[in-house]
Amino acid sequence: MASILKVDQIGKTSGSTQDTMAGLCKVWADIDMTGTATLDNSFNVTSITDGGTGLPTVTIANDFANANYCCAGMGPQGPSNNDECLVHFKNSSARSTGSCDFRTVDVYNAADVIDYDPNTIIFFGDLA
């Protein structure tokens, strides 16, 4: 029989505590953006939408409580060895509680949107 440990906080012997849920990754995705964007693997993601070259939208399965969550992304160095990936929000209103729009661009020329594989994105914040 499997055991399940359910706790809200973990305390140190000095008395301070750590909220076990606040620091956990709530959403992550490994996206192949070459051609039509597809999810290679994910957690808490309903779908990926290809908005064009370098423009994925991640749809979140269990929404965030608000749009003030944190994201980080990473992509590879391109095949020509001079187009490293930079992942950022598409615009200032890219985050909503249920989805997030990104742009993936060449580090050396941010005007050049590029489809990368793999492109990985993680999200942290409070779920609804």
Side-chain angles (χ1 to χ4, degrees):
M1 175 185 282
S3 297
I4 298 174
L5 175 64
K6 294 182 178 184
V7 297
D8 293 322
Q9 295 182 337
I10 296 174
K12 295 192 282 187
T13 55
S14 65
S16 63
T17 62
Q18 171 66 46
D19 184 332
T20 57
M21 296 306 292
L24 297 177
C25 177
K26 304 304 189 313
V27 177
W28 61 263
D30 180 342
I31 306 164
D32 179 349
M33 293 175 51
T34 58
T36 301
T38 58
L39 289 169
D40 287 338
N41 204 351
S42 66
F43 173 73
N44 197 22
V45 173
T46 301
S47 63
I48 183 83
T49 303
D50 191 336
T53 302
L55 298 171
T57 297
V58 173
T59 301
I60 300 162
N62 296 298
D63 291 357
F64 282 97
N66 57 57
N68 297 321
Y69 49 86
C70 177
C71 299
M74 184 172 287
Q77 177 173 308
S80 63
N81 297 326
N82 65 354
D83 54 352
E84 288 81 10
C85 179
L86 172 66
V87 179
H88 61 91
F89 296 125
K90 181 178 176 184
N91 53 43
S92 61
S93 62
R95 293 180 295 173
S96 71
T97 57
S99 67
C100 192
D101 299 323
F102 293 95
R103 284 184 79 226
T104 55
V105 299
D106 179 352
V107 168
Y108 299 107
N109 186 358
D112 291 345
V113 289
I114 301 176
D115 283 341
Y116 289 92
D117 179 35
N119 190 323
T120 59
I121 302 170
I122 57 175
F123 299 70
F124 295 88
D126 295 328
L127 294 178

